[in-house]
Amino acid sequence: MKGDALSRYQARYARLGAGPLSVGELLEVVGDVLRRSDRLGTDGVEEALKGLGRSEVEAWVRQQKPQALQPLLLRAAEESMEVALGEEGDEAELWRASALEGLAARDRAASSARALVTWEMLKGPLDGDAAAARERFLGTLGQMDTALRPRARWFIPLNAERRTERDLLDPVERPGAWWFSARAGCDDLVASWTGRPMKDPEHLKDCASCRADRADTAVVDSPPRRHLTDDELWRLDSGEMGREERERVDAHTAGCGECAQAVLALEEGDAAIDEVMELEEGAGAPRAARDSRADVSRRPGAARLPEHREVLEERRDFRVVLVRERQRVRLLVQPLGSRTVTAAVFLSPGRPSLKPMQGPEGLSFDLSTALASGAHAAHLTVQAGQETLERDFAF
């Protein structure tokens, strides 16, 4: 498998001398080579970069939208867990290939960033708006890595391929490429989730990250699931979902931006219909066309987005965010570093803490039921290493 991956990069390297490439393609290829120079060498790389004009690079960097990588990586996390939790076979391999493409997209961005920095060393730094665009590009990648690196365990089912990619990188590049390197030796953590045979049971005892993850399972460490299907969205929109299934959908959309966006599209469609119906009613039009649909305010799918986020607390290792949606309020505790973060929310002294859901964004506490019962404040406890936060908050 390592030979196949190496051949792929060698083929990409050969494209430098095979004909014209777009600026983006050239930067990706050059970055791929620079980050794997021990295996590939660097002949022709400097000349290729020097051939890029300043205006071309400035135009390219202004067009970059690295924030689009985050939903790709979240989807890759979900697909990776489908590989772990599903049956082996063609479907699992399709999930695997799609998840690996998400990791490859993040790696291509790293290669582009490396090539851009090298181009500036050769041709002089960007300035003005282009320099600001470069800082946004590199800064957004860094922020996204800070948020997602602690979630590298979701990619453990892809470890065989991740180790191959990691080992092709130059040693100095490996730590930063967390999408390939972080938790690449923790295969048995997934085996402990699925009940499959372990390769090295002692690893779970010796690995601090695995020990922390197994401890987190007491705080409901639920792996992400697949995206909502068209049938599920249709039943959500028509009001035919049962309560338990709606709760699963709510938990999923709390951590999946794409599915939350799909649900928002349904809601916006209903809002548009309501507006048209109100106009027609004002003109004396019959109500029959709207009566066939459930009232939006009563529909079970209503209301996750748009949302308002308020940062209540930000520390070195975690952030606390209060998320308000149209008919839902939740508290999100987001890890920001490598430390394990645990949290509990108490509505009143002596009562059990609320049950959180674990998703790609962190620990999520649903406060909607408490709000409906008349509660408007709670107490939060967060533990990250030796740091503890104790505070009351209103919602």
Side-chain angles (χ1 to χ4, degrees):
M1 182 172 298
K2 185 177 294 187
D4 293 341
L6 179 60
S7 297
R8 184 174 70 251
Y9 288 112
Q10 289 171 334
R12 284 175 62 78
Y13 189 6
R15 294 180 62 194
L16 284 181
L21 298 174
S22 69
V23 175
E25 290 173 326
L26 191 146
L27 289 174
E28 284 181 6
V29 171
V30 166
D32 281 349
V33 174
L34 289 173
R35 296 168 63 231
R36 298 165 178 85
S37 59
D38 289 351
R39 297 271 186 169
L40 300 174
T42 58
D43 290 345
V45 166
E46 185 172 320
E47 290 76 10
L49 283 177
K50 287 180 177 178
L52 285 178
R54 181 167 295 271
S55 61
E56 295 176 293
V57 174
E58 289 177 344
W60 176 85
V61 76
R62 289 191 184 102
Q63 294 171 356
Q64 298 313 295
K65 297 180 179 179
Q67 63 272 19
L69 287 169
Q70 182 151 345
L72 280 180
L73 288 168
L74 289 173
R75 185 173 68 228
E78 296 164 5
E79 292 167 341
S80 174
M81 295 313 302
E82 289 287 349
V83 174
L85 302 177
E87 298 293 331
E88 295 183 0
D90 292 343
E91 185 175 6
E93 291 310 305
L94 289 174
W95 288 121
R96 185 186 303 276
S98 184
L100 288 169
E101 177 53 34
L103 300 188
R106 176 62 189 91
D107 194 70
R108 289 194 295 270
S111 291
S112 296
R114 171 65 187 281
L116 176 62
V117 171
T118 305
W119 180 90
E120 289 188 287
M121 293 172 62
L122 293 171
K123 306 273 296 228
L126 297 171
D127 54 23
D129 292 344
R134 175 203 59 208
E135 291 305 309
R136 285 195 300 272
F137 172 55
L138 299 178
T140 300
L141 290 178
Q143 293 167 8
M144 181 173 57
D145 289 346
T146 297
L148 294 181
R149 182 190 295 266
R151 301 295 168 228
R153 65 177 177 271
W154 299 135
F155 301 116
I156 290 174
L158 311 175
N159 269 358
E161 295 83 2
R162 294 174 71 226
R163 284 191 289 266
T164 295
E165 292 285 355
R166 177 201 62 190
D167 293 347
L168 290 177
L169 289 166
D170 293 349
V172 71
E173 299 286 343
R174 294 172 189 173
W178 66 266
W179 48 94
F180 289 150
S181 61
R183 311 300 298 275
C186 298
D187 300 44
D188 283 335
L189 178 64
V190 171
S192 74
W193 291 343
T194 61
R196 293 173 181 168
M198 296 187 183
K199 299 176 182 177
D200 179 14
E202 292 301 312
H203 173 86
L204 296 179
K205 300 177 183 178
D206 298 335
C207 175
S209 296
C210 286
R211 289 200 308 270
D213 284 336
R214 297 195 77 191
D216 280 350
T217 59
V219 196
V220 196
D221 190 8
S222 303
R225 50 157 289 181
R226 59 176 172 74
H227 287 301
L228 299 178
T229 65
D230 291 343
D231 179 65
E232 287 170 326
L233 288 170
W234 184 87
R235 287 188 291 108
L236 179 67
D237 189 43
S238 62
E240 296 184 8
M241 268 192 177
R243 181 177 63 83
E244 290 186 2
E245 190 173 12
R246 291 201 306 271
E247 289 176 353
R248 288 196 297 271
V249 169
D250 287 344
H252 175 68
T253 54
C256 176
E258 291 191 43
C259 288
Q261 194 65 34
V263 172
L264 174 62
L266 297 179
E267 296 166 8
E268 289 179 337
D270 280 334
I273 290 173
D274 282 340
E275 185 177 349
V276 171
M277 290 299 113
E278 288 173 3
L279 292 173
E280 290 181 350
E281 284 179 351
R287 177 86 179 163
R290 184 68 179 93
D291 286 343
S292 63
R293 300 175 58 86
D295 189 322
V296 174
S297 65
R298 295 195 302 270
R299 281 181 47 245
R304 274 166 291 281
L305 289 173
E307 66 179 26
H308 172 71
R309 295 191 170 211
E310 176 187 357
V311 178
L312 301 182
E313 193 89 29
E314 183 153 0
R315 301 288 182 90
R316 182 185 63 181
D317 293 315
F318 61 88
R319 178 189 298 121
V320 180
V321 184
L322 187 64
V323 183
R324 300 180 186 275
E325 297 159 345
R326 274 182 273 177
Q327 294 179 354
R328 189 170 176 229
V329 181
R330 57 193 174 95
L331 188 75
L332 190 62
V333 180
Q334 300 175 310
L336 299 179
S338 59
R339 294 183 185 275
T340 298
V341 176
T342 58
V345 171
F346 300 89
L347 295 175
S348 61
R351 293 184 59 185
S353 62
L354 295 180
K355 182 179 180 181
M357 293 295 295
Q358 175 77 50
E361 282 194 286
L363 290 170
S364 178
F365 296 85
D366 192 339
L367 303 171
S368 305
T369 301
L371 185 63
S373 66
H376 295 282
H379 182 80
L380 170 67
T381 298
V382 181
Q383 182 76 44
Q386 299 300 313
E387 183 175 19
T388 300
L389 168 68
E390 297 276 355
R391 64 163 289 174
D392 295 326
F393 66 96
F395 58 90

